[in-house]
């Protein structure tokens, strides 16, 4: 009889990770203890996923507000800097902004509207329409923004981010001027030195500013790319992917960790004789349908993964086969015909083939990372390791 259970995603509990901890040993032992406790058996092509947070914690990859300030001052001159397109987040950006503010004499803070890059809304689109504002063209001063929209608070956090960021900058000793615009070039009317803080659109933003005459343009992945006074850093992503650790310190995105995932894979093989896949994951890549927030505030879903997780799914749409190719069949005959069709796959790409339409040909690491993010949560579950079985099974797997 065919196996009745398909994909299973389990959160695995682990000790609280500190700087210097051996993650290879901790992850391996945690998974093996979970298997014993929950009665499952490690199988080939199972997936072990670990949060980027515990990787960075084990690396001791932290930077202080003063570290950020020193790097900003050295790279941008310490004068007036346009800080444009930051996301609206106390966890993701507020501590970074403290460091940026301490490294400048004045900040021209330019916020996109009606929402930031990942969907946090300052105001609703309906309010923009009602006031006759064109977000593609209109540049609003703080005074005009308040006149039109008042003091809106974020529906999830209850925070007026305009006021919050304004006060934060002033508390750090910098002068602040706030404008609202969606064309990055609008900031050049105020300063030619710019720090672009968007995540996924940063390369375009930088290109547009440079072409329009900006004298100096950096992005968040240009800040904290090397240690400052013994701090952590991220050579590739800088401040991108950082999170609040304390009121004056951020945890940076993990430094290169490909050797970590491969070492865990090797240790699991030695312990169990099974070849599992291993990945590090951060944010999932999905959008909340109510709050309209796109979850992906990290620069990538997975900064490191083993070779078996490269690529995209190559799947057939079972309901398409049932409704079209085998519409005249039912019961065992339908089941056997569909199984036979799956077995005929030869590994060649099915992209563009009608029978694969709607099978989400996204990268495996993005899909699995989303599953892991939803499994582990972001609060007090205490499961920074996710163990997935059956992800690469299909209808023919017994």
């Amino acid at each position: 009889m065919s196996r009745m259970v398909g994909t299973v995603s389990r959160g695995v509990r682990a000790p609280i990770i500190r700087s210097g901890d051996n993650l290879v040993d901790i992850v391996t032992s945690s998974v093996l203890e979970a298997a014993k406790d929950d009665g499952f058996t490690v199988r080939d092509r199972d997936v072990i996923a670990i949060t980027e947070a515990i990787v960075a914690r084990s690396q001791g990859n932290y930077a202080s507000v003063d570290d950020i300030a020193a790097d900003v001052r050295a790279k941008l001159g310490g004068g007036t800097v346009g800080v444009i397109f930051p996301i609206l987040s106390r966890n993701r950006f507020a501590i970074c902004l403290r460091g940026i503010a301490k490294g400048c004499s004045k900040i021209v803070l330019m916020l996109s509207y009606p929402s930031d890059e990942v969907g946090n809304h300052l105001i609703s689109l309906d309010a923009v329409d009602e006031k006759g504002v064109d977000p593609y063209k209109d540049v609003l001063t703080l005074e005009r923004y308040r006149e039109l929209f008042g003091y809106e608070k974020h529906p999830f956090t209850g925070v007026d981010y305009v006021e919050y960021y304004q006060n934060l900058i002033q508390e750090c000793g910098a002068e602040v001027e706030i404008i609202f615009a969606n064309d990055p070039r609008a900031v050049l009317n105020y300063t030619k030195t710019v720090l672009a803080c968007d995540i996924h659109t940063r390369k375009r933003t930088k290109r547009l500013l440079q072409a329009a005459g900006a004298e100096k343009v950096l992005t968040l992945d240009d800040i904290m790319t090397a240690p400052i006074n013994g701090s952590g850093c991220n050579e590739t992503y800088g401040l991108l992917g950082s999170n609040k650790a304390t009121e004056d310190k951020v945890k940076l995105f993990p430094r290169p960790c490909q050797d970590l995932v491969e070492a865990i894979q090797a240790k699991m093989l030695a312990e169990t004789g099974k070849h599992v896949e291993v990945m590090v994951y951060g944010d999932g890549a999905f959008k909340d349908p109510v709050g309209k927030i796109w979850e992906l505030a990290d620069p990538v879903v997975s900064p490191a993964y083993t070779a078996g997780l490269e690529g995209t799914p190559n799947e057939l749409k079972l309901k398409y086969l049932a409704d079209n190719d085998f519409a005249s069949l039912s019961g065992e005959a339908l089941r056997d015909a569909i199984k036979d069709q799956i077995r005929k796959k030869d590994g060649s790409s099915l992209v563009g083939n009608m029978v694969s339409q709607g099978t989400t040909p996204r990268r495996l690491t993005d899909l699995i990372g989303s599953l892991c993010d939803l499994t582990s949560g972001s609060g007090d579950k205490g499961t920074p390791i996710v163990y997935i079985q059956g992800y690469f099974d299909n209808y023919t797997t017994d």
Side-chain angles (χ1 to χ4, degrees):
M1 181 177 177
S2 298
R3 177 153 51 89
M4 297 300 292
V5 176
T7 301
V8 176
S9 178
R10 294 179 175 88
V12 175
R13 292 180 176 173
I16 302 299
I17 303 300
R18 297 294 190 186
S19 177
D21 284 351
N22 187 326
L23 275 190
V24 176
D25 290 345
I26 291 172
V27 171
T28 302
S29 62
S30 295
V31 167
L32 295 179
E33 288 174 22
K36 182 178 179 181
D37 180 66
D38 203 45
F40 65 86
T41 302
V42 175
R43 301 197 295 258
D44 286 324
R45 297 222 75 188
D46 288 353
V47 179
I48 297 173
I50 55 180
T51 65
E52 59 83 19
I54 64 171
V55 177
R57 287 172 66 86
S58 72
Q59 294 173 338
N61 203 22
Y62 295 87
S64 72
V65 164
D66 289 339
D67 297 329
I68 296 169
D71 205 27
V72 167
R73 192 178 302 112
K75 290 175 177 175
L76 291 169
T80 299
V81 175
V83 175
I84 72 171
F85 299 159
I87 63 172
L88 307 174
S89 173
R90 293 169 295 176
N91 174 47
R92 285 289 191 171
F93 190 70
I95 308 305
C96 295
L97 183 56
R98 288 186 191 278
I100 295 165
K102 289 188 72 172
C104 306
S105 62
K106 178 180 177 179
I107 284 180
V108 178
L109 181 66
M110 191 171 90
L111 302 174
S112 56
Y113 73 97
S115 69
D116 69 10
E117 179 187 8
V118 297
N120 290 297
H121 275 72
L122 287 171
I123 48 179
S124 70
L125 273 171
D126 290 336
V128 171
D129 293 340
E130 179 185 338
K131 298 298 183 179
V133 175
D134 185 345
Y136 296 102
K137 297 179 180 178
D138 293 344
V139 178
L140 307 178
T141 63
L142 177 58
E143 292 72 25
R144 181 60 175 157
Y145 172 85
R146 291 300 190 197
E147 178 185 333
L148 289 168
F149 304 112
Y151 289 77
E152 291 283 337
K153 293 186 176 180
H154 192 283
F156 287 177
T157 65
V159 172
D160 178 343
Y161 278 97
V162 178
E163 183 176 60
Y164 176 60
Y165 280 178
Q166 181 181 27
N167 291 339
L168 186 153
I169 292 167
Q170 291 171 336
E171 289 167 4
C172 292
E175 185 182 349
V176 60
E177 183 172 3
I178 300 177
I179 59 173
F180 302 81
N182 292 308
D183 186 333
R185 293 166 290 197
V187 78
L188 298 179
N189 292 321
Y190 300 81
T191 177
K192 304 294 186 185
T193 301
V194 184
L195 177 60
C197 299
D198 43 343
I199 305 163
H200 308 293
T201 55
R202 64 190 185 275
K203 292 181 180 178
R204 175 178 183 268
T205 297
K206 190 173 190 176
R207 172 174 55 80
L208 290 175
L209 286 167
Q210 289 174 332
E215 295 172 0
K216 184 173 290 186
V217 184
L218 298 183
T219 53
L220 284 181
D221 52 356
D222 293 317
I223 307 298
M224 297 306 304
T225 54
I228 303 294
N229 299 320
S231 73
C233 68
N234 191 296
E235 297 86 345
T236 303
Y237 297 116
L239 282 177
L240 290 176
S242 61
N243 293 84
K244 177 180 179 179
T246 68
E247 291 301 325
D248 64 356
K249 186 181 292 186
V250 293
K251 176 197 64 61
L252 300 169
F253 210 50
R255 299 182 76 176
C257 48
Q258 185 64 31
D259 58 340
L260 171 67
V261 297
E262 292 175 358
I264 293 172
Q265 183 182 60
K267 190 170 180 66
M268 285 294 295
L269 180 62
E271 294 282 347
T272 67
K274 303 298 181 181
H275 183 90
V276 301
E277 305 296 343
V278 185
M279 66 180 282
V280 176
Y281 71 95
D283 284 338
F286 52 86
K287 185 173 183 177
D288 180 80
V290 176
K292 312 301 182 187
I293 298 171
W294 184 29
E295 179 66 15
L296 188 57
D298 285 328
V300 292
V301 172
S302 178
Y305 50 89
T306 51
L309 297 177
E310 185 64 58
T312 60
N314 200 42
E315 301 174 340
L316 301 175
K317 197 77 168 180
L318 298 193
K319 65 183 181 182
Y320 181 87
L321 290 171
D323 291 343
N324 291 272
D325 297 44
F326 307 122
S328 63
L329 302 179
S330 61
E332 288 189 11
L334 175 60
R335 181 198 64 193
D336 292 343
I338 289 178
K339 284 188 173 183
D340 184 59
Q341 196 74 7
I342 293 171
R343 292 189 185 101
K344 289 178 179 177
K345 289 193 300 183
D346 59 6
S348 59
S349 175
L350 294 170
V351 173
N353 190 318
M354 185 61 74
V355 78
S356 70
Q357 183 174 305
T359 55
T360 319
R362 294 162 56 195
R363 292 188 302 181
L364 288 168
T365 50
D366 293 344
L367 292 165
I368 297 172
S370 296
L371 173 61
C372 293
D373 193 17
L374 291 167
T375 301
S376 62
S378 59
D380 58 8
K381 293 184 183 297
T383 54
I385 304 166
V386 176
Y387 195 81
I388 300 170
Q389 294 191 293
Y391 192 84
F392 296 103
D393 290 355
N394 61 38
Y395 193 50
T396 69
T397 306
D398 295 323

